[in-house]
Amino acid sequence: MPTPYAYFKKQIVPLSEAKISVVTHAFNYGTAVFEGIRGNWNEDDEQVYVFRLKEHYARLRKSCRIMRIDFPYSDEELYSLTTRIVEMSGYREDLYLRPLAYKSSEVLGVRLHDLEDDFLIFVQPFGPYLDPDKGARCCTSTWRRVEDTAIPARAKITGIYANSALAKTEANLNGFDEAIMLDERGHVSEGSGENIFVVQDDRIITPPPSSNILVGITRETVITLAREELGVETVERDVDRSELYTADECFMTGTAAHVTPVVELDHRPIGEGKPGPLTTRLSRIYFDVIRGKNPKYLHWCTPCYSKVKA
Ligand SMILES: Cc1ncc(COP(=O)(O)O)c(C=O)c1O
């Protein structure tokens, strides 16, 4: 029977024992930074492949710098802790890994300085988030994406997810699968937990980091796969809301959402109102890559189980 483990207070413990105090600074003020990493189960290899471990921890380091969180771990320590937790947990299914660096002092008072920092990792089974086969029906959110001048979106800060949660719940309660947020200038920014792309005349276009996006690792993966495998370059530039309405295809990317086609926005079908051909091709390539089935990209996949099938 698989049992989830966590790295917590410098030890590996069963997840059920990893508890913080209600007074913890990060819990009260959103002063933590985190990553969402997928572990993808490969039945043939009887292996969990963690996808782009290196890039996720590199982004976590940047988030820590922005939030003044001390992060005294070497890459090797981080990779080893992460794969050990997965191996000890023993799951034979898709997983989500949550490394989180946080202001751990049990003290009240809003600030970033003169506080202790700590770091934890936990693992959870995690299937599909949106439906990548059917695609997502989306709405333009009435909530704007937070600006770099308010809370920097390039850092994956827990507190910033109040913005995403407001948008996601509004969308879901109004009958949509996902919200697409605009930035304060009115340009398209991103989904509540996904980056967004449009396909127009066989070109791929996506908003730049200056549109207050989280610079997604799936985004970079898909840009690379489109270039290397399909010979299609991606242009990063401002995207208007109405461009989404008239696009040939539209899709979202994220660790949770994978590559999910957007088939409808604000009650308007995008393209033919079903997953488009380029999105479908990219998505097939992507799913093979993340499960360790494409030897060319195996360097993006870290195996966790030491006893692999011969
Ligand atoms: C707000 C937001 N944008 C974009 C993404 C996609 O980023 P990534 O592909 O690194 O998961 C995420 C998911 O982590 C997110 O939370």
Side-chain angles (χ1 to χ4, degrees):
M1 190 63 188
T3 312
Y5 277 83
Y7 175 72
F8 182 65
K9 301 209 170 176
K10 316 220 165 16
Q11 284 180 14
I12 295 182
V13 295
L15 179 59
S16 56
E17 290 174 22
K19 309 266 189 223
I20 57 159
S21 156
V22 293
V23 193
T24 305
H25 197 274
F27 177 68
N28 284 270
Y29 301 115
T31 48
V33 297
F34 67 103
E35 278 302 316
I37 311 178
R38 269 204 189 254
N40 301 299
W41 174 245
N42 179 319
E43 185 70 41
D44 294 337
D45 296 357
E46 294 189 32
Q47 184 60 271
V48 168
Y49 289 108
V50 176
F51 192 58
R52 307 207 69 175
L53 195 52
K54 186 169 151 234
E55 290 76 10
H56 279 285
Y57 279 117
R59 188 170 67 188
L60 189 67
R61 279 189 202 287
K62 289 185 187 163
S63 297
C64 284
R65 287 173 66 165
I66 290 176
M67 290 298 280
R68 299 174 59 111
I69 293 175
D70 257 0
F71 193 54
Y73 290 83
S74 70
D75 286 344
E76 288 63 37
E77 280 173 307
L78 294 168
Y79 305 161
S80 150
L81 280 171
T82 309
T83 52
R84 265 171 63 205
I85 289 165
V86 173
E87 184 165 39
M88 286 172 71
S89 301
Y91 288 107
R92 295 167 64 89
E93 61 188 295
D94 290 341
L95 303 174
Y96 205 75
L97 291 152
R98 169 55 44 83
L100 187 143
Y102 63 109
K103 294 284 170 197
S104 58
S105 294
E106 293 175 20
V107 61
L108 294 177
V110 182
R111 62 181 187 275
L112 295 178
H113 61 282
D114 296 341
L115 294 167
E116 283 163 18
D117 302 312
D118 210 343
F119 172 61
L120 59 82
I121 314 173
F122 67 87
V123 57
Q124 293 273 280
F126 196 73
Y129 178 67
L130 294 170
D131 188 336
D133 297 323
K134 207 165 119 225
R137 293 179 54 251
C138 297
C139 62
T140 306
S141 184
T142 63
W143 297 97
R144 292 289 166 110
R145 182 69 178 146
V146 284
E147 287 289 306
D148 192 63
T149 47
I151 316 178
R154 75 185 67 246
K156 206 166 159 64
I157 302 166
T158 53
I160 221 171
Y161 280 81
N163 182 230
S164 290
L166 287 163
K168 178 76 175 184
T169 288
E170 178 192 53
N172 287 169
L173 298 188
N174 287 336
F176 298 98
D177 300 311
E178 188 51 284
I180 291 166
M181 281 184 280
L182 308 180
D183 63 20
E184 286 296 344
R185 301 167 306 156
H187 295 306
V188 174
S189 178
E190 61 180 350
S192 71
E194 306 85 16
N195 295 119
I196 190 155
F197 292 75
V198 292
V199 180
Q200 186 72 65
D201 303 323
D202 298 320
R203 279 180 317 134
I204 303 178
I205 305 155
T206 194
S210 54
S211 288
N212 298 306
I213 63 167
L214 177 76
V215 185
I217 288 158
T218 322
R219 175 182 183 272
E220 197 270 323
T221 300
V222 161
I223 291 173
T224 304
L225 295 177
R227 184 179 59 238
E228 297 290 316
E229 304 304 316
L230 302 177
V232 182
E233 288 296 332
T234 301
V235 180
E236 293 185 52
R237 63 153 171 82
D238 286 339
V239 173
D240 292 326
R241 170 184 185 166
S242 54
E243 280 189 84
L244 301 189
Y245 294 163
T246 57
D248 297 333
E249 300 177 37
C250 179
F251 61 90
M252 294 184 291
T253 63
T255 296
H258 296 304
V259 176
T260 297
V262 178
V263 293
E264 190 186 306
L265 177 62
D266 301 338
H267 302 287
R268 292 159 177 87
I270 296 186
E272 294 182 14
K274 56 180 196 202
L278 197 143
T279 309
T280 306
R281 280 165 73 204
L282 249 184
S283 158
R284 287 206 187 109
I285 296 166
Y286 164 84
F287 277 111
D288 274 354
V289 166
I290 64 163
R291 291 201 190 284
K293 293 183 177 173
N294 185 333
K296 189 169 161 193
Y297 298 97
L298 257 186
H299 59 284
W300 283 347
C301 302
T302 307
C304 295
Y305 292 130
S306 38
K307 263 196 261 158
V308 280
K309 237 167 57 173

